[in-house]
Amino acid sequence: MRAHLLIDVPAMAVAISLMPTLGWPPVAGIGCAVSALHTWAVLDPRAALYGPVRWRLPAGSPGVALTFDDGPNPEVTPLVLDRLAAFGCKGTFFVIGEHVRKHPDLIRRMASEGHAIGLHSDRHARSFPFWLPGRMVRDLRANAEAIAQITGAPPPTLFRPPMGIKNPFVGHAATTLHLTTVTWTATGRDGVATTADRAFARLLPALQPRSILVLHDGCEPGRPGDRSTCLAVLDRLLPEMNRRSLPGVVVG
Ligand SMILES: [Zn+2]
């Protein structure tokens, strides 16, 4: 909330100060425009107003990056890894610290099979976007240390904000930790109630070089759910990538 107030309160103050001069309609228009700009910057995966984002792979990349959020999950993640291995694809897993500490074997397997591992916060708190930057930094450090202790490698530098929400504080935390904020080209929205048909249909138009696609192999802590949709989508996506000669690559 604080970060949003940094934008909304000054905008409101400017609007009120202009009201005697301009009257209601232009001020209301300015207010709507500022509000729309802020909403776009927070929610649009391509919006870089609050910090740089990687929503697609660098120019020249021949592949597609399959990314998986909210894991590792003991039921689903091994099956995701099996499917990726069967097609010779690499994926990028944005993992939650709490799950990492419970399932270190899955983190080891991701690392040993050449997949990339990124941060997705330590507990995936719904209130994360409303925290002050210092608390965000502490949370992300805990997330990174949990992974690094298991892999023995340097802490991850890729970061996907919880719920994909960006704001000035999230941007500041990412900059402080020298993290690359990774959003997406398309999301299957398989983490919410949807069918494999719908999720696949959402991803299919983006099945081309440089795309970053989102699926969910896990659930937020304390919010269990069915993640079989992720597997059903992969069973269509991977053969289609194969047919189009699109390699599955990590987010670099
Ligand atoms: Zn998530």
Side-chain angles (χ1 to χ4, degrees):
M1 183 61 75
R2 296 178 182 95
H4 302 287
L5 291 177
L6 281 178
I7 307 299
D8 295 335
V9 170
M12 199 182 305
V14 170
I16 290 169
S17 70
L18 290 174
M19 211 175 293
T21 312
L22 301 177
W24 273 103
V27 170
I30 292 168
C32 288
V34 170
S35 178
L37 179 69
H38 178 52
T39 303
W40 166 77
V42 168
L43 297 178
D44 191 305
R46 304 182 187 195
L49 190 65
Y50 297 144
V53 294
R54 185 166 298 173
W55 61 271
R56 61 179 174 176
L57 298 173
S61 174
V64 170
L66 299 177
T67 68
F68 302 90
D69 287 5
D70 297 350
N73 175 300
E75 281 83 38
V76 175
T77 306
L79 300 176
V80 169
L81 291 167
D82 290 346
R83 283 162 168 77
L84 294 176
F87 283 86
C89 287
K90 304 301 179 193
T92 301
F93 292 82
F94 291 96
V95 297
I96 298 171
E98 188 168 315
H99 294 331
V100 169
R101 288 184 284 275
K102 287 180 183 168
H103 308 292
D105 51 323
L106 291 173
I107 297 298
R108 279 188 211 99
R109 182 175 170 194
M110 289 171 189
S112 70
E113 294 181 3
H115 303 294
I117 302 172
L119 309 179
H120 196 44
S121 82
D122 204 51
R123 299 187 189 280
H124 207 294
R126 287 285 173 100
S127 56
F128 185 93
F130 306 123
W131 292 355
L132 288 169
R135 187 174 178 190
M136 290 179 182
V137 166
R138 288 194 296 278
D139 180 276
L140 293 173
R141 279 203 176 115
N143 189 187
E145 284 166 11
I147 298 164
Q149 282 176 3
I150 294 165
T151 61
T157 57
L158 301 177
F159 164 53
R160 175 165 288 153
M163 289 81 70
I165 293 176
K166 302 170 266 96
N167 63 37
F169 287 178
V170 172
H172 182 77
T175 302
T176 300
L177 294 172
H178 307 290
L179 300 174
T180 299
T181 300
V182 180
T183 56
W184 55 84
T185 315
T187 174
R189 293 183 58 77
D190 59 316
V192 296
T194 190
T195 64
D197 281 346
R198 286 182 186 162
F200 182 65
R202 285 193 182 102
L203 296 174
L204 196 56
L207 204 54
Q208 51 191 301
R210 299 185 66 192
S211 287
I212 298 175
L213 309 184
V214 183
L215 289 167
H216 291 76
D217 63 327
C219 302
E220 300 171 24
R223 296 174 184 264
D226 177 15
R227 289 294 174 264
S228 59
T229 304
C230 171
L231 300 172
V233 173
L234 270 185
D235 286 339
R236 300 183 194 186
L237 211 50
L238 290 168
E240 186 60 25
M241 286 167 61
N242 205 29
R243 195 180 69 76
R244 299 186 186 193
S245 300
L246 283 171
V249 300
V250 299
V251 177

